[in-house]
Amino acid sequence: MEITDVRAHHIRIPYDAGVASFRQGASAITALDMVLVEVTTDAGLTGWGDAFAYVCPRTTRSAVEEMIVPQARGLEVPDAAGIPAVMEQIQRNLHLFGRYGITMFAISGLDIALWDLAAKIKGVPLHRLLGEIRRTAIPAYASLLRIGSPDNIAAECRKALALGYGAIKLHETTTPAVLAAREAIGPSIPLMVDMNCPLTGEQAIAFAATCCDAEPMFLEEPVWPPEDFATLAEVRGKSGLGIAAGENACTEYQFRQMMEAGAVSHAQPSVIKVGGITEFLKVAGLADRLGIRIVPHSPYFGPGLLATLHLLATRDDGLVEMFYLKREACLWGGRADVDASGHVAVPAGPGLGYEPDRGVMERYRVA
């Protein structure tokens, strides 16, 4: 079976986050931008991937079209055992453009699509190719966007719990925000604090001391720059709190540097950034050997979400991250949403399990 074409689809779905906001620097993000990677074959099968594109959809789409398409068109579709070698060769072919950032986002999209195809060829759900299934539904946590006001944070936390979520993550950088959330959710609900790299090591240690009474499961990316693993390790050692990082890391090689430095208690590979399912599996294997928890970065609504569910289905632990917002439409007809018990069902169909709704794709396509 041969790959006949690879297409990148830029989809933009508006959302409503209520009192919260989503920003990247000075840019307010008002819609969910995603780049779906469609891989077609001469046998009529189609594989779907997902390349990270929050504020760079045109750039990511160009990377797929200019770098991935020439590598993939005409390629024999590998089986599951053959995907790692194919992807390593593509990484080698494209290393001139960097092994992090946009290049790896595009590579991730192709990798996920190849795994989707491999499972469809076998007629089995993706998780069957990854290992023994341990969970048929994955517990989700509500990933609240930046709010700021402690009163509003408390109110949104209570709303999320009422919807069934069993854990909460904040995107806040102040002690009152963290303490307000803990008071609202009570002592038994896991609470995570994502800081998005704002502090020096000294500042992060001081911040941890002020919010330790809230007992966060971890502080996520507290220091700048995110690849300063030595400082992260210092914060982890001196704060006494769990430290999470990895959404900005690519490839098992960079995660190895992070873990061997003692920087994290929780590793957060992002399947649409790290290099796809292939690199995610390498990272997870390394983390398991070193006793580090895997908590994926997964606030997506495209094939990356489905891939994350399959990856977590083969593990006994790990939560799936869901942005706490109301989107205008869903590619999966609501089948990958959080249920009343706070879980997301693992798809049971061949490959990723669901095919994206072409009508939704056309309605929200960006030319």
Side-chain angles (χ1 to χ4, degrees):
M1 187 183 303
E2 185 176 292
I3 293 174
T4 54
D5 200 11
V6 178
R7 294 185 64 198
H9 304 273
H10 176 191
I11 310 300
R12 174 176 289 161
I13 299 178
Y15 68 85
D16 178 8
V19 297
S21 65
F22 186 15
R23 305 187 70 84
Q24 183 68 33
S27 301
I29 302 174
T30 58
L32 301 166
D33 280 293
M34 59 190 85
V35 171
L36 273 61
V37 178
E38 180 184 15
V39 176
T40 54
T41 68
D42 58 3
L45 283 179
T46 298
W48 293 96
D50 200 343
F52 183 77
Y54 278 177
V55 294
C56 56
R58 293 174 180 83
T59 308
T60 298
R61 178 178 177 176
S62 293
V64 173
E65 293 172 344
E66 295 181 348
M67 290 192 282
I68 297 302
V69 172
Q71 298 291 323
R73 188 180 285 145
L75 185 74
E76 285 293 318
V77 177
D79 60 13
I83 291 175
V86 168
M87 295 312 302
E88 178 173 340
Q89 187 58 57
I90 289 176
Q91 286 192 33
R92 287 174 177 266
N93 294 348
L94 297 176
H95 80 276
L96 179 65
F97 308 104
R99 279 168 42 76
Y100 306 100
I102 297 294
T103 303
M104 291 306 299
F105 301 170
I107 285 174
S108 298
L110 174 63
D111 181 89
I112 294 168
L114 291 182
W115 280 97
D116 185 28
L117 279 171
K120 285 174 174 172
I121 290 169
K122 291 288 188 180
V124 299
L126 173 58
H127 58 258
R128 288 277 298 277
L129 302 184
L130 305 178
E132 179 185 354
I133 186 168
R134 299 181 183 275
R135 297 184 288 179
T136 58
I138 309 301
Y141 69 84
S143 188
L144 275 60
L145 304 185
R146 184 67 59 86
I147 297 172
S149 160
D151 288 343
N152 285 339
I153 290 168
E156 293 303 298
C157 285
R158 287 191 288 265
K159 290 177 185 177
L161 295 186
L163 290 173
Y165 285 99
I168 300 287
K169 185 163 84 175
L170 307 178
H171 286 80
E172 306 290 343
T173 58
T174 68
T175 302
V178 178
L179 296 178
R182 173 53 74 198
E183 183 177 358
I185 66 178
S188 62
I189 298 294
L191 176 66
M192 298 151 273
V193 183
D194 188 350
M195 304 192 73
N196 294 123
C197 315
L199 305 177
T200 66
E202 185 175 303
Q203 290 168 335
I205 293 167
F207 177 81
T210 66
C211 66
C212 64
D213 287 347
E215 298 184 332
M217 179 192 297
F218 55 68
L219 299 183
E220 180 176 337
E221 291 194 323
V223 305
W224 176 264
E227 64 271 23
D228 185 351
F229 302 140
T231 297
L232 270 179
E234 183 181 9
V235 174
R236 183 185 176 197
K238 292 183 178 180
S239 71
L241 296 180
I243 297 296
E247 71 172 85
N248 289 308
C250 296
T251 76
E252 181 265 354
Y253 185 82
Q254 192 174 37
F255 272 93
R256 182 180 296 276
Q257 294 175 316
M258 179 193 305
M259 294 179 190
E260 290 181 346
V264 293
S265 56
H266 296 72
Q268 297 177 294
S270 168
V271 74
I272 66 175
K273 284 182 168 183
V274 71
I277 292 167
T278 300
E279 291 291 333
F280 188 109
L281 291 171
K282 294 178 186 177
V283 172
L286 177 63
D288 291 343
R289 291 192 294 274
L290 296 178
I292 294 167
R293 301 278 298 275
I294 288 288
V295 183
H297 180 256
S298 60
Y300 331 123
F301 294 90
L305 170 60
L306 305 187
T308 301
L309 293 171
H310 285 283
L311 286 159
L312 287 174
T314 65
R315 304 183 60 82
D316 292 318
D317 62 352
L319 310 172
V320 62
E321 179 179 10
M322 301 292 285
F323 267 158
Y324 185 68
L325 49 77
K326 295 178 181 179
R327 64 199 184 283
E328 194 172 287
C330 176
L331 288 168
W332 317 113
R335 291 173 292 180
D337 289 351
V338 180
D339 66 20
S341 72
H343 289 70
V344 184
V346 177
L352 289 171
Y354 309 134
E355 295 294 301
D357 185 322
R358 295 274 188 177
V360 172
M361 288 179 61
E362 290 308 315
R363 179 179 176 188
Y364 294 99
R365 180 184 303 278
V366 178

